[in-house]
Amino acid sequence: MCVPLLLASCGAKKAAIKDTSGVTKTSSAQETSRAAHQLAFVQKVNDQKVYANNIVADMSFTAQMGDRKITVPGAVHMRRDEVIRLQLFIPLLGSEVGRLEFTPDYVLVIDRMHKQYIKGDYNQLDFLRNNGLNFYSLQALFWNQLLLPGASNVGEGDLHKFKANLDGMGQNVPVSLQNGNMNYVWEANRKSGIIGKTSVTFSSSGHGKSNLVWEYTDFSPLGVKMFPATQEFSFSTSSSNKIQEMTVRLKMDKLKTSENWETRSTVSPRYKEMDAKFIFDRLLNM
């Protein structure tokens, strides 16, 4: 009686081993397929970035901080990997009242009304330097594309660093990236791969929590790709003694790809230079 029982027992163990092996293989295949689908979607999102090297447009600029709100006409000039420039004009008169210029090497703010300016590199601001944020990070936000902190662009070999959550049934798919204390989430359309919103969250015990939400609407053709003519970004932080919030809305018109313009601004020697870090700290504590 023992022999048949032993044989039956061995047979049952072998069958169990075979079944477990089959489940493991199936599970592994599913994970591989899942990862492939995620990577394919991240690739689709990355492929939506515009090909143009220049973006030029008229704009309406609106900024709100607390109960203070201003709306003025302006202009946008962006050249890939070189400059992002926002110009603000006096309504009706059309003369320039202020200019904000970002380049890979420095940030320049010109105040025409008070004849002052700020010029400094990104390393002067600890928050930007410590989190790998630079000109290329800002460029990716303005140009509606994925970004990788500390890198000038997102290459094919970088796509596996992003995670796409394809499990939901909604029209948007969250694509995320964790980088130290910074968490990035891009909400991309499931069918087109176009980014509709980017959220950046910074959290630390020493500096509190900061949130940046950048929304994109009014997509218009720019070459063979689509570009968001309206962009609204809201920033909130608890890094100071009280929570600060600010919202900026850029509504662009007459999008062009013209390249006949200068990429660097010059400052009059009559203008007084202000300290960048001082101005940044003062804004956060207003």
Side-chain angles (χ1 to χ4, degrees):
M1 292 179 60
C2 292
V3 173
L5 287 173
L6 287 172
L7 291 174
S9 176
C10 290
K13 289 180 179 178
K14 289 179 180 178
I17 292 172
K18 288 181 180 178
D19 290 343
T20 302
S21 176
V23 169
T24 301
K25 289 180 180 179
T26 301
S27 177
S28 178
Q30 289 175 342
E31 287 300 318
T32 301
S33 176
R34 179 187 180 87
H37 280 86
Q38 288 188 10
L39 185 61
F41 186 79
V42 174
Q43 175 72 71
K44 179 196 289 188
V45 175
N46 194 50
D47 287 345
Q48 301 314 308
K49 55 189 177 185
V50 298
Y51 296 143
N53 286 322
N54 293 276
I55 299 177
V56 178
D58 296 333
M59 75 164 176
S60 172
F61 176 94
T62 300
Q64 181 167 2
M65 190 171 184
D67 57 357
R68 290 170 294 174
K69 182 177 180 180
I70 62 164
T71 298
V72 295
V76 178
H77 288 78
M78 300 192 292
R79 181 166 295 170
R80 189 186 299 278
D81 298 337
E82 290 193 47
V83 68
I84 299 168
R85 180 187 299 145
L86 305 180
Q87 294 169 268
L88 306 182
F89 305 135
I90 298 176
L92 301 179
L93 297 179
S95 54
E96 186 178 270
V97 66
R99 179 177 296 203
L100 178 60
E101 186 168 286
F102 300 92
T103 76
D105 304 315
Y106 61 81
V107 180
L108 174 65
V109 182
I110 302 176
D111 180 353
R112 303 288 189 195
M113 292 186 66
H114 301 95
K115 292 181 168 47
Q116 297 176 342
Y117 74 97
I118 302 167
K119 186 174 183 179
D121 63 45
Y122 299 88
N123 289 327
Q124 288 180 270
L125 300 178
D126 296 341
F127 177 82
L128 298 179
R129 182 185 64 247
N130 294 341
N131 291 283
L133 300 178
N134 54 23
F135 167 80
Y136 301 103
S137 304
L138 189 62
Q139 176 175 260
L141 290 168
F142 272 103
W143 289 63
N144 187 230
Q145 59 192 56
L146 298 175
L147 71 88
L148 194 61
S152 60
N153 60 75
V154 177
E156 294 291 327
D158 298 317
L159 298 181
H160 70 280
K161 299 175 183 177
F162 300 84
K163 304 299 181 185
N165 185 356
L166 298 169
D167 295 336
M169 299 299 292
Q171 65 176 359
N172 293 325
V173 173
V175 177
S176 60
L177 173 72
Q178 185 71 41
N179 182 71
N181 292 326
M182 305 287 288
N183 182 61
Y184 300 82
V185 178
W186 294 266
E187 296 285 344
N189 184 274
R190 190 179 295 271
K191 291 183 178 180
S192 67
I194 293 176
I195 298 169
K197 182 170 74 173
T198 301
S199 301
V200 184
T201 303
F202 170 84
S203 182
S204 76
S205 57
H207 297 89
K209 187 174 183 179
S210 298
N211 293 291
L212 172 66
V213 178
W214 204 298
E215 298 185 80
Y216 308 92
T217 54
D218 296 336
F219 283 85
S220 303
L222 192 68
V224 297
K225 298 292 184 177
M226 302 295 287
F227 184 79
T230 299
Q231 302 185 17
E232 181 174 301
F233 46 96
S234 300
F235 177 74
S236 64
T237 180
S238 61
S239 60
S240 60
N241 295 329
K242 57 181 179 179
I243 296 177
Q244 298 292 325
E245 296 181 351
M246 183 175 185
T247 299
V248 174
R249 180 182 178 87
L250 309 178
K251 187 172 181 59
M252 291 172 260
D253 187 30
K254 301 176 182 177
L255 288 169
K256 300 184 289 291
T257 59
S258 57
E259 57 182 24
N260 188 25
W261 50 277
E262 295 294 329
T263 59
R264 294 293 184 272
S265 298
T266 57
V267 182
S268 169
R270 295 177 296 171
Y271 282 35
K272 180 181 178 181
E273 183 173 8
M274 306 296 289
D275 181 74
K277 190 175 187 304
F278 170 76
I279 296 295
F280 184 76
D281 291 341
R282 189 172 69 176
L283 284 172
L284 289 180
N285 288 282
M286 286 177 64

